[in-house]
Amino acid sequence: MRKMRRSDRATTAEKAWEILEKAEYMTLSMMGAEGVPYGVTLSFARVGESLYFHCANEGYKLDSLRKNPAVCVNAVYQQRTKAEEFTVAFESAVAFGKAFEATEQAEKETGLLAICKKYAPENTGAAAYIAQYPQVSVWRIDVSELSGKIHDWVNSSSSSTR
């Protein structure tokens, strides 16, 4: 496990998973296909201890993941600025793992159903239909390391948790 500088703000793994579930988007970071760092913001959903996202079936992101599947994910939930104290309250999670393309139809449907439940619960029936599109790629990130951090001056007894 990587050492967190502000360990007083560290969460449990269970809370870090909750933060990931509540976050609207994640930033996926990887080594780009040309050997330079690359990051992209994506919608995603959790299934067990994995994260799923979907995209087109070609492009720089996929070239990069196919060359080197090691990734880092960052997600932030409930960010609030307190300008007069030069601080920001937030809940965040960082996950490390490897990305794998879902090649079986059943797994593509599982990933897309989770994404539909999160972003469009009224349209979950579309997941199986969308999974059949040849231009849709579904990817799973198997999380091997997870941490979370909370800085919450709103719920603390003082105006800041520093």
Side-chain angles (χ1 to χ4, degrees), residues 28-40 59-72:
L28 174 67
S29 300
M30 66 201 86
M31 186 55 66
E34 298 168 350
V36 295
Y38 177 65
V40 61
Y60 187 74
K61 172 177 60 224
L62 300 190
D63 293 344
S64 301
L65 290 172
R66 289 176 178 133
K67 187 171 183 178
N68 183 352
V71 297
C72 177

Side-chain angles (χ1 to χ4, degrees), residues 4-77:
M4 183 182 301
R5 187 183 67 83
R6 292 297 307 259
S7 60
D8 59 314
R9 296 182 181 168
T11 68
T12 64
E14 181 179 321
K15 180 63 178 174
W17 281 116
E18 289 176 19
I19 293 166
L20 281 173
E21 286 180 359
K22 294 186 288 186
E24 289 295 315
Y25 59 88
M26 68 179 182
T27 300
L28 174 67
S29 300
M30 66 201 86
M31 186 55 66
E34 298 168 350
V36 295
Y38 177 65
V40 61
T41 302
L42 302 167
S43 55
F44 71 102
R46 173 188 175 193
V47 176
E49 293 193 357
S50 296
L51 305 174
Y52 281 88
F53 66 92
H54 74 293
C55 54
N57 62 6
E58 62 182 349
Y60 187 74
K61 172 177 60 224
L62 300 190
D63 293 344
S64 301
L65 290 172
R66 289 176 178 133
K67 187 171 183 178
N68 183 352
V71 297
C72 177
V73 169
N74 183 311
V76 177
Y77 177 69

